[in-house]
């Protein structure tokens, strides 16, 4: 797996780099079926200029100050994952780099699951037609 990280107007600390590596290990386990040279992950991280992020959805009966004000987004970016010829893309915004990594890699993992389910019958929820039709 090839990983390329591009930072614009910000820097990534060692602890944040280790945090991103944990996400990469998880994705590496999910794409073991592909040749390591054919999997390319590009992460672009930049400082947000307008610092606006839509409020987070919370299922709570009470409101606090963070629910009434839009959340600040200090960082934004995107992740592109190339599997053979297929490209998976996710964009994200967040207050910290760790929050951005969680959001971006979470969206990519959802897309990998969907991709594997449609392209590999062994990873599908319905590997045989008999289970769908309910004999």
């Amino acid at each position: 797996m090839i990983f390329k990280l591009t930072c614009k107007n910000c820097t990534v600390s060692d602890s944040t780099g280790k945090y991103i590596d944990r996400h990469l290990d998880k994705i590496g386990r999910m794409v073991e079926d592909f040749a390591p040279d054919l999997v390319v992950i590009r992460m672009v991280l930049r400082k947000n200029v307008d610092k606006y992020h839509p409020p987070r959805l919370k299922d709570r009966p009470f409101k606090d100050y963070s629910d009434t004000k839009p959340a600040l987004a200090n960082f934004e970016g995107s992740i592109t994952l190339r599997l053979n010829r297929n490209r998976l893309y996710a964009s994200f915004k967040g207050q910290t780099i760790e929050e951005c990594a969680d959001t971006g890699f979470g969206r990519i993992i959802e897309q990998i699951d969907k991709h594997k389910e449609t392209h590999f019958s062994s990873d599908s929820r319905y590997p045989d037609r008999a289970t769908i039709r309910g004999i």
Side-chain angles (χ1 to χ4, degrees), residues 34 83 86 88 111-120:
F34 297 97
L83 297 171
N86 301 318
L88 307 176
Q111 291 182 15
I112 290 172
D113 287 339
K114 189 183 292 185
H115 174 78
K116 288 179 82 172
E117 189 171 306
T118 54
H119 293 287
F120 300 107

Side-chain angles (χ1 to χ4, degrees), residues 3 11-12 16-18 26 29 63 71 79 92-93 97 105 119 134:
F3 177 66
T11 58
V12 176
T16 306
K18 290 177 185 177
K26 185 175 183 179
R29 288 191 304 268
K63 290 192 170 207
I79 297 175
F92 51 82
K93 284 186 176 184
I97 296 176
F105 284 113
H119 293 287

